[in-house]
Coordinates of all heavy atoms in Angstrom, one line a residue:
M11 N 28.0 -22.4 1.0 CA 26.5 -22.6 1.2 C 26.1 -23.7 0.2 O 26.4 -23.6 -1.0 CB 25.8 -21.3 0.9 CG 24.3 -21.4 1.2 SD 23.5 -19.8 1.2 CE 23.5 -19.4 -0.5
P12 N 25.5 -24.8 0.7 CA 25.1 -25.9 -0.2 C 23.9 -25.4 -1.1 O 23.1 -24.6 -0.8 CB 24.6 -26.9 0.8 CG 24.2 -26.2 2.0 CD 25.1 -25.0 2.1
K13 N 24.0 -26.0 -2.3 CA 22.9 -25.7 -3.3 C 21.7 -26.6 -3.1 O 21.9 -27.8 -2.9 CB 23.4 -25.8 -4.7 CG 24.5 -24.8 -5.1 CD 24.8 -24.9 -6.6 CE 25.8 -23.8 -6.9 NZ 26.1 -23.8 -8.4
L14 N 20.6 -26.0 -3.1 CA 19.4 -26.8 -2.8 C 18.9 -27.6 -4.1 O 18.3 -28.6 -4.0 CB 18.2 -25.9 -2.4 CG 18.5 -25.2 -1.1 CD1 17.3 -24.3 -0.7 CD2 18.6 -26.2 0.1
H15 N 19.3 -27.0 -5.3 CA 18.9 -27.6 -6.5 C 20.2 -27.8 -7.3 O 20.7 -26.9 -7.8 CB 17.9 -26.7 -7.3 CG 16.8 -26.2 -6.4 ND1 15.7 -27.0 -6.0 CD2 16.6 -25.0 -5.8 CE1 14.9 -26.3 -5.3 NE2 15.4 -25.1 -5.1
A16 N 20.5 -29.1 -7.5 CA 21.8 -29.4 -8.1 C 21.9 -28.8 -9.5 O 23.0 -28.3 -9.9 CB 22.0 -30.9 -8.2
N17 N 20.9 -28.9 -10.3 CA 21.0 -28.4 -11.7 C 20.2 -27.1 -12.0 O 20.0 -26.7 -13.1 CB 20.4 -29.5 -12.6 CG 21.1 -30.8 -12.5 OD1 22.4 -30.8 -12.5 ND2 20.4 -31.9 -12.4
L18 N 19.8 -26.5 -10.9 CA 19.1 -25.3 -11.0 C 19.7 -24.1 -10.2 O 20.5 -24.4 -9.3 CB 17.6 -25.5 -10.5 CG 16.8 -26.5 -11.3 CD1 15.5 -26.8 -10.6 CD2 16.5 -26.0 -12.7
P19 N 19.4 -22.9 -10.6 CA 20.0 -21.8 -9.9 C 19.5 -21.8 -8.4 O 18.4 -22.1 -8.1 CB 19.4 -20.5 -10.6 CG 18.8 -21.0 -11.8 CD 18.5 -22.5 -11.6
P20 N 20.4 -21.6 -7.5 CA 20.0 -21.5 -6.1 C 19.1 -20.3 -5.9 O 19.1 -19.3 -6.6 CB 21.3 -21.3 -5.3 CG 22.3 -20.7 -6.3 CD 21.8 -21.3 -7.7
C21 N 18.2 -20.4 -4.9 CA 17.2 -19.4 -4.6 C 17.7 -18.0 -4.5 O 17.1 -17.0 -5.0 CB 16.4 -19.8 -3.4 SG 15.5 -21.3 -3.5
Y22 N 18.9 -17.9 -3.9 CA 19.5 -16.6 -3.7 C 19.7 -15.9 -5.1 O 19.3 -14.7 -5.2 CB 20.8 -16.6 -2.9 CG 21.5 -15.3 -2.7 CD1 21.0 -14.4 -1.8 CD2 22.6 -15.0 -3.5 CE1 21.6 -13.2 -1.6 CE2 23.2 -13.8 -3.3 CZ 22.7 -12.9 -2.4 OH 23.3 -11.6 -2.2
D23 N 20.3 -16.6 -6.0 CA 20.5 -16.0 -7.3 C 19.2 -15.7 -8.0 O 19.0 -14.7 -8.7 CB 21.4 -16.9 -8.2 CG 22.8 -16.9 -7.8 OD1 23.2 -16.0 -7.0 OD2 23.6 -17.8 -8.2
L24 N 18.3 -16.6 -7.8 CA 17.0 -16.5 -8.5 C 16.3 -15.2 -8.0 O 15.7 -14.5 -8.8 CB 16.2 -17.7 -8.2 CG 15.1 -18.0 -9.3 CD1 15.7 -18.7 -10.4 CD2 14.0 -18.8 -8.7
A25 N 16.3 -15.0 -6.7 CA 15.5 -13.9 -6.1 C 16.0 -12.6 -6.8 O 15.2 -11.7 -7.0 CB 15.7 -13.9 -4.6
R26 N 17.3 -12.5 -7.1 CA 17.8 -11.3 -7.6 C 17.4 -11.1 -9.1 O 17.5 -10.0 -9.6 CB 19.4 -11.3 -7.5 CG 19.9 -11.2 -6.1 CD 21.3 -11.7 -6.0 NE 22.1 -11.0 -7.0 CZ 23.3 -11.5 -7.4 NH1 23.7 -12.7 -6.9 NH2 24.0 -10.9 -8.3
Q27 N 17.0 -12.2 -9.7 CA 16.6 -12.2 -11.1 C 15.1 -12.0 -11.3 O 14.6 -11.6 -12.4 CB 17.0 -13.5 -11.8 CG 18.5 -13.7 -11.8 CD 18.8 -15.1 -12.3 OE1 18.0 -15.9 -12.5 NE2 20.1 -15.3 -12.5
L28 N 14.3 -12.1 -10.2 CA 12.9 -12.1 -10.4 C 12.4 -10.8 -10.9 O 11.5 -10.7 -11.7 CB 12.2 -12.5 -9.0 CG 12.2 -14.0 -8.7 CD1 11.6 -14.2 -7.3 CD2 11.5 -14.8 -9.7
S29 N 12.9 -9.7 -10.4 CA 12.4 -8.4 -10.8 C 12.7 -8.1 -12.3 O 11.9 -7.6 -13.0 CB 13.0 -7.2 -9.9 OG 14.4 -7.2 -10.1
A30 N 13.9 -8.6 -12.7 CA 14.3 -8.5 -14.1 C 13.4 -9.3 -14.9 O 13.0 -8.9 -16.0 CB 15.7 -8.8 -14.3
Y31 N 13.0 -10.5 -14.4 CA 12.1 -11.4 -15.1 C 10.8 -10.7 -15.3 O 10.2 -10.7 -16.4 CB 12.0 -12.7 -14.3 CG 11.0 -13.7 -14.8 CD1 11.3 -14.4 -15.9 CD2 9.8 -13.9 -14.2 CE1 10.4 -15.4 -16.4 CE2 8.9 -14.8 -14.6 CZ 9.2 -15.5 -15.8 OH 8.3 -16.5 -16.2
L32 N 10.3 -10.1 -14.2 CA 9.0 -9.4 -14.3 C 9.0 -8.2 -15.2 O 8.0 -7.8 -15.8 CB 8.5 -9.0 -12.9 CG 8.0 -10.2 -12.0 CD1 7.7 -9.7 -10.6 CD2 6.7 -10.8 -12.6
D33 N 10.2 -7.6 -15.3 CA 10.4 -6.4 -16.1 C 10.6 -6.8 -17.6 O 10.7 -6.0 -18.4 CB 11.6 -5.6 -15.6 CG 11.3 -4.8 -14.4 OD1 10.1 -4.7 -14.0 OD2 12.2 -4.3 -13.8
G34 N 10.7 -8.1 -17.8 CA 11.0 -8.6 -19.2 C 12.4 -8.3 -19.6 O 12.7 -8.3 -20.8
E35 N 13.3 -8.1 -18.7 CA 14.7 -7.8 -19.0 C 15.6 -9.0 -18.8 O 16.8 -8.8 -19.1 CB 15.1 -6.6 -18.0 CG 14.4 -5.3 -18.3 CD 14.8 -4.3 -17.3 OE1 15.5 -4.6 -16.3 OE2 14.4 -3.1 -17.5
L36 N 15.1 -10.1 -18.5 CA 15.9 -11.3 -18.3 C 16.1 -12.0 -19.6 O 15.2 -12.2 -20.3 CB 15.3 -12.2 -17.3 CG 16.2 -13.2 -16.6 CD1 17.2 -12.5 -15.7 CD2 15.4 -14.1 -15.7
P37 N 17.4 -12.3 -20.0 CA 17.6 -13.0 -21.2 C 16.9 -14.3 -21.2 O 16.6 -15.0 -20.2 CB 19.1 -13.3 -21.2 CG 19.7 -12.2 -20.2 CD 18.6 -12.0 -19.2
A38 N 16.5 -14.8 -22.4 CA 15.6 -15.9 -22.6 C 16.2 -17.2 -21.9 O 15.4 -18.0 -21.4 CB 15.4 -16.2 -24.1
D39 N 17.5 -17.4 -22.0 CA 18.0 -18.6 -21.4 C 17.9 -18.6 -19.9 O 17.6 -19.6 -19.3 CB 19.5 -18.8 -21.8 CG 20.4 -17.6 -21.5 OD1 19.9 -16.5 -21.3 OD2 21.6 -17.8 -21.3
L40 N 18.1 -17.4 -19.3 CA 17.9 -17.3 -17.9 C 16.4 -17.4 -17.5 O 16.1 -17.9 -16.4 CB 18.5 -15.9 -17.4 CG 20.0 -15.8 -17.5 CD1 20.4 -14.4 -17.0 CD2 20.7 -16.9 -16.7
C41 N 15.5 -16.9 -18.4 CA 14.1 -17.1 -18.1 C 13.8 -18.6 -18.0 O 13.0 -19.0 -17.2 CB 13.3 -16.4 -19.2 SG 13.1 -14.7 -19.1
H42 N 14.4 -19.3 -18.9 CA 14.1 -20.8 -19.0 C 14.6 -21.4 -17.7 O 13.9 -22.2 -17.0 CB 14.8 -21.4 -20.2 CG 14.6 -22.9 -20.3 ND1 15.4 -23.8 -19.7 CD2 13.5 -23.5 -20.9 CE1 14.9 -25.0 -20.0 NE2 13.8 -24.9 -20.7
D43 N 15.8 -21.0 -17.2 CA 16.3 -21.6 -16.0 C 15.5 -21.2 -14.8 O 15.2 -22.0 -13.9 CB 17.8 -21.0 -15.7 CG 18.8 -21.7 -16.7 OD1 18.4 -22.6 -17.4 OD2 19.9 -21.2 -16.7
L44 N 15.0 -20.0 -14.8 CA 14.2 -19.5 -13.7 C 12.9 -20.2 -13.7 O 12.4 -20.6 -12.6 CB 14.0 -18.0 -13.9 CG 13.3 -17.2 -12.8 CD1 13.9 -15.8 -12.7 CD2 11.8 -17.2 -13.0
E45 N 12.3 -20.4 -14.8 CA 11.0 -21.0 -14.9 C 11.1 -22.5 -14.5 O 10.2 -23.1 -13.8 CB 10.4 -20.9 -16.3 CG 9.8 -19.5 -16.5 CD 9.6 -19.2 -18.0 OE1 9.9 -20.0 -18.8 OE2 9.1 -18.1 -18.3
A46 N 12.2 -23.1 -14.9 CA 12.5 -24.5 -14.5 C 12.6 -24.6 -12.9 O 12.1 -25.5 -12.3 CB 13.7 -25.0 -15.1
H47 N 13.3 -23.6 -12.4 CA 13.5 -23.6 -10.9 C 12.1 -23.4 -10.2 O 11.8 -24.1 -9.3 CB 14.5 -22.5 -10.6 CG 14.7 -22.4 -9.1 ND1 15.7 -23.0 -8.4 CD2 13.9 -21.7 -8.1 CE1 15.6 -22.7 -7.1 NE2 14.5 -21.9 -6.9
L48 N 11.3 -22.5 -10.8 CA 10.0 -22.2 -10.2 C 9.2 -23.4 -10.1 O 8.4 -23.6 -9.2 CB 9.3 -21.0 -10.9 CG 10.0 -19.7 -10.8 CD1 9.3 -18.7 -11.7 CD2 9.8 -19.1 -9.4
G49 N 9.3 -24.2 -11.2 CA 8.5 -25.4 -11.2 C 8.7 -26.4 -10.1 O 7.8 -27.2 -9.7
G50 N 9.9 -26.3 -9.5 CA 10.2 -27.2 -8.4 C 10.5 -26.5 -7.1 O 10.9 -27.2 -6.1
C51 N 10.2 -25.2 -7.0 CA 10.5 -24.5 -5.8 C 9.4 -23.6 -5.3 O 9.2 -22.5 -5.8 CB 11.8 -23.6 -6.0 SG 12.3 -22.8 -4.5
P52 N 8.5 -24.1 -4.5 CA 7.3 -23.4 -4.0 C 7.7 -22.0 -3.4 O 6.9 -21.1 -3.6 CB 6.6 -24.3 -3.0 CG 7.1 -25.7 -3.4 CD 8.5 -25.5 -3.9
D53 N 8.8 -22.0 -2.7 CA 9.2 -20.8 -2.0 C 9.4 -19.6 -3.1 O 8.9 -18.5 -2.9 CB 10.5 -21.0 -1.3 CG 10.3 -21.8 0.0 OD1 9.1 -22.0 0.4 OD2 11.3 -22.3 0.5
C54 N 10.1 -19.9 -4.1 CA 10.3 -18.9 -5.1 C 9.0 -18.5 -5.9 O 8.9 -17.4 -6.3 CB 11.4 -19.4 -6.1 SG 13.1 -19.3 -5.4
R55 N 8.1 -19.5 -6.0 CA 6.9 -19.2 -6.7 C 6.1 -18.2 -5.9 O 5.4 -17.3 -6.4 CB 6.1 -20.5 -6.9 CG 6.7 -21.3 -8.1 CD 6.2 -22.7 -8.1 NE 4.7 -22.7 -8.5 CZ 4.1 -23.9 -8.7 NH1 4.7 -25.0 -8.6 NH2 2.8 -23.9 -9.0
V56 N 6.1 -18.3 -4.5 CA 5.4 -17.4 -3.7 C 6.0 -16.0 -3.9 O 5.3 -15.0 -4.0 CB 5.6 -17.8 -2.2 CG1 5.1 -16.7 -1.3 CG2 4.7 -19.1 -2.0
V57 N 7.4 -15.9 -3.9 CA 8.0 -14.6 -4.1 C 7.6 -14.0 -5.5 O 7.2 -12.8 -5.5 CB 9.5 -14.8 -4.0 CG1 10.2 -13.5 -4.4 CG2 10.0 -15.3 -2.7
L58 N 7.6 -14.8 -6.5 CA 7.3 -14.3 -7.8 C 5.8 -13.9 -7.9 O 5.5 -12.8 -8.4 CB 7.5 -15.4 -8.9 CG 7.1 -15.0 -10.3 CD1 8.1 -13.9 -10.8 CD2 7.2 -16.1 -11.3
D59 N 4.9 -14.7 -7.2 CA 3.5 -14.4 -7.2 C 3.3 -13.0 -6.5 O 2.5 -12.2 -6.9 CB 2.8 -15.5 -6.5 CG 1.3 -15.3 -6.5 OD1 0.8 -15.1 -7.7 OD2 0.6 -15.3 -5.5
T60 N 4.0 -12.8 -5.4 CA 3.9 -11.6 -4.7 C 4.4 -10.4 -5.5 O 3.7 -9.4 -5.6 CB 4.7 -11.6 -3.4 OG1 4.2 -12.7 -2.6 CG2 4.6 -10.3 -2.6
L61 N 5.5 -10.6 -6.1 CA 6.0 -9.5 -7.0 C 5.1 -9.2 -8.2 O 4.8 -8.1 -8.5 CB 7.4 -9.9 -7.5 CG 8.6 -9.6 -6.6 CD1 9.8 -10.2 -7.2 CD2 8.8 -8.2 -6.3
G62 N 4.6 -10.3 -8.7 CA 3.7 -10.2 -9.9 C 2.4 -9.4 -9.5 O 1.9 -8.6 -10.3
R63 N 1.9 -9.7 -8.3 CA 0.7 -9.1 -7.9 C 0.9 -7.6 -7.6 O 0.1 -6.7 -7.9 CB 0.2 -9.7 -6.6 CG -1.3 -10.1 -6.6 CD -1.7 -10.8 -5.4 NE -1.1 -12.1 -5.3 CZ -1.2 -12.9 -4.2 NH1 -1.8 -12.5 -3.2 NH2 -0.6 -14.1 -4.2
T64 N 2.1 -7.3 -7.1 CA 2.5 -5.9 -7.0 C 2.5 -5.1 -8.3 O 2.0 -4.0 -8.4 CB 3.9 -5.8 -6.3 OG1 3.9 -6.4 -5.1 CG2 4.3 -4.3 -6.1
V65 N 3.0 -5.8 -9.3 CA 3.0 -5.2 -10.7 C 1.6 -5.0 -11.1 O 1.3 -3.9 -11.7 CB 3.8 -6.1 -11.6 CG1 3.6 -5.6 -13.1 CG2 5.3 -6.1 -11.3
Q66 N 0.7 -6.0 -10.9 CA -0.7 -5.8 -11.3 C -1.4 -4.7 -10.6 O -2.1 -4.0 -11.2 CB -1.4 -7.2 -11.1 CG -1.0 -8.3 -12.0 CD -1.6 -9.6 -11.7 OE1 -2.4 -9.7 -10.7 NE2 -1.3 -10.6 -12.4
I67 N -1.1 -4.5 -9.3 CA -1.7 -3.5 -8.6 C -1.2 -2.1 -9.1 O -2.0 -1.2 -9.3 CB -1.3 -3.6 -7.1 CG1 -2.0 -4.8 -6.5 CG2 -1.6 -2.3 -6.3 CD1 -1.5 -5.2 -5.1
V68 N 0.0 -2.0 -9.4 CA 0.5 -0.8 -10.0 C -0.2 -0.5 -11.3 O -0.6 0.7 -11.6 CB 2.1 -0.8 -10.2 CG1 2.6 0.4 -11.0 CG2 2.8 -0.9 -8.8
H69 N -0.3 -1.5 -12.1 CA -1.0 -1.4 -13.4 C -2.5 -0.9 -13.2 O -3.0 -0.1 -13.9 CB -1.0 -2.7 -14.2 CG -1.6 -2.6 -15.5 ND1 -1.2 -1.7 -16.5 CD2 -2.6 -3.3 -16.1 CE1 -1.9 -1.9 -17.6 NE2 -2.8 -2.8 -17.3
A70 N -3.1 -1.6 -12.2 CA -4.5 -1.2 -11.9 C -4.7 0.2 -11.5 O -5.7 0.9 -11.7 CB -5.1 -2.2 -10.8
L71 N -3.6 0.7 -10.9 CA -3.7 2.1 -10.4 C -3.2 3.1 -11.4 O -3.2 4.3 -11.2 CB -2.8 2.2 -9.1 CG -3.3 1.5 -7.9 CD1 -2.2 1.6 -6.8 CD2 -4.6 2.1 -7.4
S72 N -2.8 2.6 -12.6 CA -2.2 3.5 -13.5 C -3.2 4.5 -14.1 O -2.7 5.5 -14.7 CB -1.6 2.7 -14.7 OG -2.6 2.0 -15.4
D73 N -4.5 4.3 -13.9 CA -5.5 5.3 -14.3 C -5.7 6.4 -13.3 O -6.3 7.4 -13.6 CB -6.8 4.6 -14.6 CG -6.7 3.8 -15.9 OD1 -5.9 4.1 -16.7 OD2 -7.6 2.9 -16.0
T74 N -5.1 6.2 -12.2 CA -5.2 7.2 -11.1 C -3.8 7.8 -10.8 O -2.8 7.1 -11.1 CB -5.8 6.6 -9.8 OG1 -4.8 5.6 -9.3 CG2 -7.1 5.9 -10.1
P75 N -3.8 9.0 -10.4 CA -2.5 9.6 -10.1 C -1.7 8.8 -9.1 O -2.2 8.6 -7.9 CB -2.9 11.0 -9.5 CG -4.3 11.2 -10.0 CD -4.9 9.9 -10.0
V76 N -0.5 8.4 -9.4 CA 0.4 7.8 -8.5 C 1.7 8.4 -8.7 O 2.1 8.9 -9.8 CB 0.5 6.3 -8.7 CG1 -0.8 5.6 -8.4 CG2 0.8 6.0 -10.2
S77 N 2.5 8.4 -7.6 CA 3.8 9.1 -7.6 C 4.8 8.0 -8.0 O 5.7 7.8 -7.2 CB 4.1 9.7 -6.3 OG 4.0 8.7 -5.2
L78 N 4.7 7.4 -9.2 CA 5.6 6.5 -9.6 C 6.6 7.2 -10.5 O 6.2 8.0 -11.4 CB 4.9 5.4 -10.4 CG 5.6 4.0 -10.6 CD1 5.7 3.3 -9.3 CD2 4.7 3.2 -11.5
P79 N 7.9 6.9 -10.3 CA 8.9 7.5 -11.2 C 8.6 7.2 -12.7 O 8.2 6.1 -13.0 CB 10.2 6.9 -10.8 CG 10.0 6.5 -9.4 CD 8.5 6.1 -9.3
A80 N 8.7 8.2 -13.6 CA 8.3 8.0 -15.0 C 9.0 6.8 -15.6 O 8.4 6.1 -16.4 CB 8.6 9.3 -15.8
D81 N 10.3 6.6 -15.3 CA 11.0 5.5 -16.0 C 10.5 4.2 -15.5 O 10.4 3.2 -16.2 CB 12.5 5.7 -15.8 CG 12.9 5.7 -14.3 OD1 12.1 6.1 -13.5 OD2 14.0 5.3 -14.0
V82 N 10.2 4.1 -14.2 CA 9.7 2.9 -13.6 C 8.3 2.6 -14.3 O 8.0 1.4 -14.7 CB 9.5 3.0 -12.1 CG1 8.8 1.7 -11.6 CG2 10.9 3.1 -11.5
E83 N 7.5 3.6 -14.4 CA 6.1 3.4 -14.9 C 6.3 2.9 -16.4 O 5.6 2.0 -16.8 CB 5.3 4.7 -14.9 CG 3.9 4.5 -15.4 CD 3.1 5.8 -15.2 OE1 3.7 6.9 -15.4 OE2 1.9 5.7 -14.8
A84 N 7.2 3.5 -17.1 CA 7.4 3.2 -18.5 C 7.8 1.7 -18.7 O 7.3 1.0 -19.5 CB 8.4 4.1 -19.2
R85 N 8.7 1.3 -17.8 CA 9.1 -0.1 -17.8 C 8.0 -1.0 -17.5 O 7.9 -2.1 -18.1 CB 10.3 -0.3 -16.9 CG 11.6 0.3 -17.4 CD 12.7 0.3 -16.3 NE 12.9 -1.0 -15.8 CZ 13.6 -1.2 -14.6 NH1 14.1 -0.1 -14.0 NH2 13.8 -2.4 -14.2
L86 N 7.2 -0.7 -16.5 CA 6.1 -1.6 -16.1 C 5.1 -1.7 -17.2 O 4.7 -2.8 -17.5 CB 5.5 -1.0 -14.8 CG 6.2 -1.2 -13.5 CD1 5.5 -0.4 -12.4 CD2 6.2 -2.7 -13.2
L87 N 4.8 -0.5 -17.8 CA 3.8 -0.6 -18.8 C 4.3 -1.3 -20.0 O 3.6 -2.1 -20.7 CB 3.4 0.9 -19.2 CG 2.6 1.6 -18.2 CD1 2.4 3.1 -18.6 CD2 1.3 0.9 -17.9
S88 N 5.6 -1.1 -20.3 CA 6.2 -1.8 -21.4 C 6.1 -3.3 -21.2 O 5.8 -4.1 -22.1 CB 7.6 -1.4 -21.6 OG 8.3 -2.3 -22.5
R89 N 6.4 -3.8 -20.0 CA 6.3 -5.2 -19.7 C 4.9 -5.7 -19.8 O 4.6 -6.7 -20.3 CB 6.9 -5.4 -18.3 CG 6.6 -6.7 -17.6 CD 7.2 -7.8 -18.5 NE 6.9 -9.1 -17.9 CZ 7.0 -10.3 -18.5 NH1 7.3 -10.3 -19.8 NH2 6.7 -11.4 -17.9
L90 N 4.0 -4.9 -19.2 CA 2.6 -5.4 -19.1 C 1.9 -5.5 -20.5 O 1.0 -6.3 -20.7 CB 1.8 -4.5 -18.1 CG 2.2 -4.7 -16.7 CD1 1.7 -3.5 -15.8 CD2 1.8 -6.0 -16.1
T91 N 2.3 -4.6 -21.4 CA 1.7 -4.6 -22.7 C 2.5 -5.4 -23.7 O 2.0 -5.6 -24.8 CB 1.6 -3.1 -23.2 OG1 2.9 -2.6 -23.3 CG2 0.7 -2.3 -22.3
G92 N 3.6 -5.9 -23.3 CA 4.4 -6.7 -24.2 C 5.0 -5.9 -25.3 O 5.5 -6.5 -26.2
A93 N 5.0 -4.6 -25.1 CA 5.6 -3.7 -26.2 C 7.1 -3.8 -26.1 O 7.7 -4.0 -25.1 CB 5.1 -2.3 -26.0
Ligands
LIG110 ZN1 14.0 -21.4 -5.1

């Protein structure tokens, strides 16, 4: 499969890293690569934006009862608060 971005991670690899990125679990060097790729790849920015909005929605709902697994909620809150 040809790479779309010679010096940047291909979209397929990036997509697998986006959730880790949003969870704050992606190593700093990979964050840098990902952000560089996002700067030149509108498709991936749409994906990240959609995922990010989902995280925000979950956060907005955190004051109301939601059936979110405790560990997932903890990770989301940790990410959103920067703790
Ligand atoms: Zn991409």
Side-chain angles (χ1 to χ4, degrees):
M11 189 167 72
K13 292 188 177 182
L14 297 177
H15 311 283
N17 298 315
L18 296 170
C21 296
Y22 178 75
D23 285 346
L24 204 83
R26 291 160 51 201
Q27 296 171 352
L28 284 177
S29 64
Y31 177 74
L32 286 172
D33 285 346
E35 295 176 348
L36 201 62
D39 58 336
L40 290 180
C41 282
H42 182 267
D43 287 349
L44 188 149
E45 286 164 356
H47 178 96
L48 289 171
C51 186
D53 288 345
C54 284
R55 285 166 66 174
V56 169
V57 173
L58 179 66
D59 186 53
T60 301
L61 279 173
R63 230 176 294 169
T64 301
V65 170
Q66 288 176 359
I67 289 169
V68 171
H69 182 59
L71 291 174
S72 64
D73 288 338
T74 65
V76 291
S77 56
L78 201 65
D81 59 332
V82 173
E83 185 175 38
R85 283 169 57 196
L86 282 172
L87 291 176
S88 169
R89 167 60 180 162
L90 290 166
T91 59

